[in-house]
Amino acid sequence: ITICDKMNEAYSETFDKKGHVIMTASNLLNVRNDKVSSSIKISYIGNLGLDRWRPLVQIGRVLKNIVYNKEPLHIDVYSSEKRKEVLKHLTAENGIQFRGFLNSSQVIEKMHESTLLLHVEDLDNKINKEKVKYSISTKIADSLASGTCLFAYGPAGVASIDYLKQNNAACVVTEKDKLEVTLRELINNAGLRQRYVN
């Protein structure tokens, strides 16, 4: 039993046995927010291991250049991260507000309050890419169920990124040079965000 198609294909070939995929599920209720908001709230909720802070900084720096209703945008990062060598990068200069730990009910609340939820994987480190090649974050199921648009930024060839792209379940960017233009379009087009949610 594997957690995704990519893992199932690799394991079935390696062990010469047919496998079965059982993906992480969610019992989160979809809350559709039809109110027109005058602000954009972009949130990352979760683990910052495997250098996930790097793509967050890349996104944060791009968001600082995007003004929405006369305000530059930023990422609200919710994590239990304590490492000083990571936290020193999660700054306003990098377009990030570090908000700290959330309990499970607060996670759901923040997901529903957000305009965009982020899923990221490090694009630069080949070792990190290998470590997440077959993993699908448990937060992805809840993000998809939340009724909030998911934006994924990471390398092609990683199970979570490939799954979201193949199923058109999130706005996916796999190349740095496409990050700003894609974010600008997504932020300024509520209809596009809703299409990904649907």
Side-chain angles (χ1 to χ4, degrees):
I1 294 170
T2 60
I3 62 164
C4 64
D5 291 334
K6 193 174 194 72
M7 180 186 279
N8 194 39
E9 289 161 15
Y11 279 35
S12 295
E13 186 178 320
T14 300
F15 297 107
D16 196 27
K17 295 258 183 206
K18 185 179 179 213
H20 301 279
V21 177
I22 300 178
M23 296 188 79
T24 304
S26 175
N27 60 3
L28 191 60
L29 294 175
N30 179 320
V31 174
R32 184 166 174 175
N33 186 349
D34 289 325
K35 290 182 199 165
V36 176
S37 177
S38 61
S39 64
I40 296 283
K41 181 171 172 55
I42 300 167
S43 301
Y44 175 83
I45 303 169
N47 188 310
L48 293 172
L50 300 172
D51 293 331
R52 290 187 181 99
W53 64 267
R54 290 182 192 276
L56 287 174
V57 166
Q58 290 166 7
I59 294 169
R61 288 180 178 164
V62 164
L63 289 174
K64 281 182 66 177
N65 296 328
I66 301 174
V67 175
Y68 189 87
N69 276 0
K70 301 180 182 175
E71 288 184 27
L73 298 175
H74 67 272
I75 307 168
D76 288 311
V77 173
Y78 300 94
S79 174
S80 58
E81 183 62 57
K82 299 274 192 272
R83 292 173 295 165
K84 288 179 183 174
E85 65 271 22
V86 171
L87 295 176
K88 71 180 181 183
H89 299 286
L90 307 180
T91 63
E93 291 76 31
N94 286 328
I96 295 172
Q97 296 289 327
F98 182 72
R99 306 290 190 190
F101 173 78
L102 295 174
N103 64 38
S104 57
S105 62
Q106 290 170 319
V107 165
I108 294 167
E109 183 181 314
K110 293 300 176 192
M111 283 182 162
H112 289 151
E113 285 176 4
S114 299
T115 311
L116 283 180
L117 295 171
L118 303 181
H119 169 68
V120 298
E121 296 294 355
D122 182 20
L123 283 85
D124 300 316
N125 186 314
K126 289 180 181 176
I127 295 169
N128 286 341
K129 185 176 175 181
E130 279 301 308
K131 286 181 178 178
V132 298
K133 186 174 182 178
Y134 300 117
S135 76
I136 296 204
S137 165
T138 53
K139 285 273 181 346
I140 287 180
D142 284 340
S143 296
L144 294 176
S146 71
T148 300
C149 183
L150 182 61
F151 177 81
Y153 180 52
V158 167
S160 60
I161 300 295
D162 290 352
Y163 173 83
L164 292 168
K165 186 166 186 138
Q166 288 162 4
N167 291 283
N168 203 28
C171 180
V172 178
V173 174
T174 58
E175 298 166 40
K176 291 178 192 175
D177 61 357
K178 294 187 178 166
L179 184 58
E180 183 163 354
V181 67
T182 307
L183 277 170
R184 281 186 183 276
E185 182 182 12
L186 194 62
I187 286 163
N188 290 303
N189 190 336
L192 179 60
R193 294 195 300 271
Q194 192 57 49
R195 283 202 293 279
Y196 283 115
V197 170
N198 294 343

